Amino acid sequence: MLATAVIVFREVLEAAIIIGILAAATHTIPGSRRWLAGGLLLGLAGAGLVAAFAGFIGSLANGVGQELFNASVLGIAVVMLAWHNIWMASHGAALAANAKSVGSSIRDGLSECSVLLVIVGLAVLREGSETVLFLYGIAASGGGTRSSMLFGGFEGLLAGTVVGYLIYAGLLRIPLRWFFTATGILVLLLAAGMASQAAHFLIQADLLPSLMSPLWDTSTTLPDDSLTGKVLHSLVGYDSRPDGMQLVFYLAAVVAISTGMKWVAHTRKVAARNRL
């Protein structure tokens, strides 16, 4: 039961943190909650399909199908998160100005909401499929009865959801003048962390060199499977024993997304001045 609870908690926490940050960052966009809920449902359905074809996926590409699948999901999520931050860089000021206006523009928020559907769907798909595969392994090895696994899974689900909600509620308490900057930084770090994880899976699949392995080792002071380590992994991509290539991907994502945000924000300011 304990093993099941820990596994479910870790995977739910990772998805809940992503959903919580995005829910807070887009709470002023009309209809965003429906798109978040839609992404959640699609992700769960996709995780079910992945679980059903787990053996087939794992046998693809000489046994590294699961690594390639995870890397692909993470790569798409990074692109979507990058689009989210760049979109917010150009629309954040308008959203802040209209945060208390009931008649905020639905048209302006439509493209952003569709991105939310994809990001949340992919996050839940990856974490959900990993959860099912892990639990399948426990069941196959005789690690627990069905009832104990169900109870442990419920405990893990509840704990992960609570921590994700606390992060969401905490973000909403940030003063509005700092809100979009704070959530923008968090989403940027989420994307960079996912890029680093994608590199890790590609290294496991022998498609990328590690460059240096490990680049550092903090596993004794802050292990990956501790609560703090897991939260930091979800928020900023923490890895106690990262490869050099992971750091390259992490920094490349930070630079690329930051540059895109600054360019879009500058372009919007110039266009606004020209209209005056």
Side-chain angles (χ1 to χ4, degrees):
M1 184 179 75
L2 179 60
T4 302
V6 170
I7 287 173
V8 174
F9 170 71
R10 288 190 321 204
E11 302 303 324
V12 169
L13 175 62
E14 197 156 343
I17 286 175
I18 295 171
I19 295 172
I21 291 174
L22 291 176
T26 58
H27 78 284
T28 58
I29 298 177
S32 61
R33 294 297 178 272
R34 292 194 298 272
W35 290 87
L36 286 168
L40 175 63
L41 293 175
L42 286 176
L44 290 173
L49 288 175
V50 170
F53 294 97
F56 174 73
I57 293 175
S59 66
L60 293 175
N62 298 321
V64 295
Q66 188 65 41
E67 284 78 8
L68 294 178
F69 172 79
N70 285 335
S72 300
V73 169
L74 286 167
I76 297 171
V78 169
V79 172
M80 294 295 101
L81 286 169
W83 168 255
H84 165 87
N85 254 19
I86 292 172
W87 188 92
M88 290 298 290
S90 62
H91 292 78
L95 288 172
N98 296 321
K100 296 182 180 180
S101 172
V102 177
S104 297
S105 172
I106 296 177
R107 184 190 62 201
D108 279 349
L110 185 59
S111 60
E112 171 61 12
C113 285
S114 62
V115 170
L116 291 180
L117 179 77
V118 176
I119 297 173
V120 172
L122 289 173
V124 175
L125 168 64
R126 191 172 74 90
E127 305 307 330
S129 60
E130 287 186 357
T131 301
V132 172
L133 294 175
F134 284 144
L135 295 184
Y136 178 81
I138 291 177
S141 62
T145 64
R146 179 175 298 181
S147 59
S148 66
M149 289 182 66
L150 285 174
F151 187 72
F154 176 76
E155 286 184 328
L157 174 64
L158 181 61
T161 303
V162 167
V163 175
Y165 177 78
L166 290 176
I167 291 174
Y168 164 75
L171 287 174
L172 292 185
R173 297 177 68 88
I174 298 175
L176 194 59
R177 62 182 181 276
W178 300 328
F179 178 80
F180 288 105
T181 300
T183 54
I185 292 172
L186 283 175
V187 172
L188 171 64
L189 294 177
L190 274 177
M194 287 184 176
S196 173
Q197 293 172 51
H200 173 72
F201 285 119
L202 292 174
I203 292 168
Q204 286 186 324
D206 289 328
L207 294 177
L208 282 179
S210 62
L211 294 187
M212 179 181 259
S213 182
L215 196 58
W216 63 72
D217 189 347
T218 55
S219 58
T220 55
T221 55
L222 186 57
D224 292 321
D225 57 359
S226 66
L227 177 59
T228 304
K230 193 62 181 176
V231 171
L232 288 176
H233 174 76
S234 302
L235 285 175
V236 299
Y238 171 75
D239 191 329
S240 63
R241 292 172 54 86
D243 296 313
M245 185 61 76
Q246 289 182 251
L247 182 61
V248 171
F249 270 56
Y250 191 99
L251 295 176
V254 169
V255 171
I257 297 172
S258 299
T259 302
M261 291 170 62
K262 291 178 180 178
W263 180 78
V264 168
H266 174 73
T267 302
R268 189 174 180 85
K269 287 180 181 178
V270 171
R273 283 199 300 267
N274 291 338
R275 286 195 298 267
L276 296 178

